[in-house]
């Protein structure tokens, strides 16, 4: 088996385990808050907990990107894996929301398992297979997104949310061990440039295709994360009962992941043929319309069907954005580029939950879905009007520029 295929297989399993551990616990934070006796301003607390990790990650990601270019992406994945293991394990013992908030901040400052895996795949995969490989990593994350909520919801239902946190810590530890023993980073040339994060930002600013990708990442991440703080509570509301709330929320959370498993490889193969920018456009417009359509249904079954259709399109978005990062940067800058892309992702992820929690606490939950749909359609417009910046010919000039 070729080295890049072996790496892809092992990283697929590692990302699957890590995503599963994430989705075992994170979607249920609003419900866990009720267990911690947070019965007032629950939406606001939920938004704060979601945003805290993203804010911390936005600050630290450029630094870890620079370290990855100097020492390798594999060590950064291992470091992040152990951090997640410790954070999830400690979360099983918290007694108040403030302790949970501290752990979320530490998680944001020190983690980065999946972005590290994406960077390693993007650097160690043949150029004509990049779209396929990145879509497979997306599929791994989506598959974890299917199994995680179902497993987390089941564990929470049977033995409580605290056991779900502890189980998530054990699962991510298994993922880290896999990376240690079976992933080999071959195409790595340590960066010898002496500089700083400030210089890296200036270099990125001079790269117009990369800057456009970063902008789109902020908008997309912000839009999709606006729903996260209110979605479990909204599912319980339209489900008509709080009985088996965690299990019901886990099922609905899994639907976009199921759609992604079915469609992401197809999007990836198509992106290798027609370009990431075209696939990105279709994914964004389908995701925007699919989000707006979800407010039409006031029952759990209609809502669930639309969540699934939304997932069929939206699963094309982030692999396309990651592919455009690869296409618009040189190999020795790629770790820093993905670090900056992760910062953009974290900025959007920080703003989104705060907006969603605030709006969801004041206005009807459907308002949040409208906001999300509009933001995704705005991103679609940017891709359409700036298509010339993302064309393969222009990116090629950037990639080979010294």
């Amino acid at each position: 088996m070729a080295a890049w295929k072996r790496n892809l297989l092992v990283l697929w399993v590692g990302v699957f385990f890590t995503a599963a551990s994430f989705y075992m616990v994170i979607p249920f934070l609003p419900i866990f808050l009720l267990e911690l006796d947070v019965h007032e301003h629950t939406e606001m607390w939920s938004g704060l907990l979601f945003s805290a990790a993203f804010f911390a990650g936005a600050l630290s990601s450029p630094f870890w990107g620079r370290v990855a270019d100097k020492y390798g992406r594999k060590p950064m994945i291992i470091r992040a894996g152990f951090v997640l293991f410790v954070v999830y394990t400690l979360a099983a013992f918290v007694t108040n929301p403030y302790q949970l908030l501290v752990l979320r901040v530490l998680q944001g400052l020190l983690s980065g398992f999946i972005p590290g895996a994406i960077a390693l795949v993007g650097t160690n995969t043949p150029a004509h297979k990049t779209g396929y490989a990145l879509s497979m990593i997306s599929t791994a994350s989506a598959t974890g997104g299917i199994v995680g909520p179902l497993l987390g919801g089941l564990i929470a239902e049977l033995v409580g949310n605290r056991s779900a946190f502890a189980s998530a810590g054990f699962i991510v530890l298994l993922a880290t061990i896999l990376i240690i023993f079976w992933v080999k980073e071959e195409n790595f040339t340590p960066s010898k440039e002496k500089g700083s994060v400030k210089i890296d930002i200036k270099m990125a600013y001079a790269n117009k295709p990369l800057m456009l990708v970063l902008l789109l990442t902020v908008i997309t991440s912000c839009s999709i994360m606006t729903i996260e703080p209110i979605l479990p509570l909204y599912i319980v509301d339209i489900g008509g009962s709080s009985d088996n709330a965690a299990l019901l929320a886990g099922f609905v959370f899994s639907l976009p992941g199921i759609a992604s498993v079915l469609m992401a490889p197809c999007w990836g193969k198509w992106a290798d043929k027609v370009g990431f920018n075209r696939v990105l456009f279709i994914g964004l417009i389908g995701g925007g319309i699919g989000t707006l359509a979800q407010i039409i249904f006031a029952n759990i079954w209609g809502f669930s069907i639309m969540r699934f259709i939304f997932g069929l399109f939206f699963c094309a978005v982030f692999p396309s954005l990651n592919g455009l990062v690869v296409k618009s940067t040189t190999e020795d800058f790629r770790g820093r580029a993905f670090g900056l892309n992760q910062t953009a992702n974290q900025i959007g992820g920080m703003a989104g939950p705060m907006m969603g929690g605030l709006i969801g606490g004041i206005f009807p939950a459907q308002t949040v879905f409208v906001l999300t749909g509009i933001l995704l359609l705005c991103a679609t417009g940017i891709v359409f009007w700036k298509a010339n910046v993302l064309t393969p010919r222009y990116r090629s000039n950037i990639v080979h520029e010294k």
Side-chain angles (χ1 to χ4, degrees):
M1 180 183 292
W4 73 268
K5 291 183 178 179
R6 185 191 66 246
N7 282 345
L8 180 60
L9 176 62
V10 177
L11 285 168
W12 192 100
V13 177
V15 169
F16 163 73
F17 281 156
T18 303
S21 69
F22 178 88
Y23 284 104
M24 280 176 63
V25 294
I26 299 303
F28 307 108
L29 282 179
I31 299 173
F32 188 46
L33 285 171
L34 300 177
E35 186 176 324
L36 295 175
D37 293 327
V38 181
H39 298 288
E40 294 183 0
H41 308 296
T42 308
E43 293 88 354
M44 302 284 277
W45 261 108
S46 179
L48 181 61
L49 287 172
F50 272 92
S51 298
F54 291 112
F55 174 74
L59 297 177
S60 63
S61 291
F63 169 77
W64 292 124
R66 170 165 281 277
V67 174
D69 277 339
K70 188 173 183 180
Y71 298 104
R73 287 92 196 186
K74 179 179 175 178
M76 295 301 100
I77 299 172
I78 295 170
R79 172 196 56 76
F82 280 115
V83 167
L84 287 175
F85 164 66
V86 173
V87 167
Y88 289 154
T89 303
L90 291 178
F93 301 97
V94 299
T95 57
N96 60 66
Y98 298 99
Q99 294 172 349
L100 194 58
L101 179 61
V102 171
L103 290 176
R104 288 286 289 163
V105 171
L106 291 176
Q107 179 180 340
L109 285 174
L110 301 174
S111 66
F113 188 104
I114 294 178
I118 292 171
L120 196 152
V121 167
T123 305
N124 285 260
T125 302
H128 66 286
K129 294 290 185 180
T130 301
Y132 169 76
L134 290 174
S135 69
M136 289 303 296
I137 292 298
S138 177
T139 300
S141 181
T143 307
I146 298 169
V147 176
L150 294 175
L151 183 58
L154 182 61
I155 293 175
E157 200 69 37
L158 295 176
V159 291
N161 283 292
R162 295 183 184 277
S163 296
F165 274 104
S167 301
F170 176 73
I171 289 175
V172 79
L173 178 62
L174 288 179
T176 306
I177 292 172
L178 286 174
I179 303 302
I180 292 173
F181 290 104
W182 283 291
V183 167
K184 185 176 181 181
E185 187 173 8
E186 295 182 334
N187 297 333
F188 173 67
T189 303
S191 175
K192 298 181 180 180
E193 295 181 11
K194 293 183 179 180
S196 63
V197 172
K198 184 178 180 180
I199 294 176
D200 295 339
I201 294 175
K202 288 183 177 179
M203 292 176 64
Y205 185 76
N207 187 334
K208 291 183 179 180
L210 178 59
M211 288 303 299
L212 181 56
V213 173
L214 297 182
L215 174 62
L216 290 168
T217 300
V218 171
I219 297 174
T220 304
S221 180
C222 176
S223 65
I224 200 63
M225 288 302 296
T226 56
I227 296 177
E228 295 296 316
I230 61 101
L231 187 55
L233 302 175
Y234 182 71
I235 291 170
V236 172
D237 183 47
I238 64 175
S241 173
S242 60
D243 297 335
N244 302 319
L247 194 58
L248 179 63
F251 169 73
V252 179
F253 260 100
S254 299
L255 292 174
I258 296 172
S260 182
V261 170
L262 296 174
M263 279 299 295
C266 298
W267 288 122
K269 291 179 180 179
W270 198 38
D272 283 331
K273 295 179 180 179
V274 303
F276 290 107
N277 52 321
R278 293 185 183 179
V279 173
L280 176 62
F281 176 82
I282 296 172
L284 285 171
I285 194 169
I289 295 173
T291 301
L292 292 173
Q294 292 174 47
I295 65 176
I296 298 174
F297 299 93
N299 63 81
I300 191 64
W301 297 112
F303 178 79
S304 298
I305 292 172
M306 288 312 305
R307 288 289 293 171
F308 180 80
I309 295 174
F310 158 81
L312 290 174
F313 287 92
F314 191 76
C315 66
V317 173
F318 282 109
S320 296
L321 289 171
N322 292 328
L324 288 171
V325 172
V326 173
K327 296 295 184 181
S328 62
T329 57
T330 55
E331 183 178 323
D332 61 350
F333 190 75
R334 201 154 292 155
R336 284 166 284 177
F338 273 107
L340 292 171
N341 188 57
Q342 179 67 0
T343 292
N345 200 316
Q346 303 282 25
I347 290 173
M350 173 187 63
M354 293 182 68
M355 292 169 57
L358 179 62
I359 295 173
I362 299 174
F363 300 101
Q366 290 85 349
T367 309
V368 182
F369 286 88
V370 173
L371 174 63
T372 298
I374 291 174
L375 286 173
L376 288 175
L377 293 177
C378 287
T380 306
I382 293 174
V383 173
F384 178 79
W385 292 110
K386 295 293 183 179
N388 62 308
V389 179
L390 297 174
T391 55
R393 180 171 56 85
Y394 188 88
R395 289 200 311 269
S396 177
N397 292 339
I398 294 294
V399 169
H400 297 290
E401 188 177 63
K402 297 296 182 181

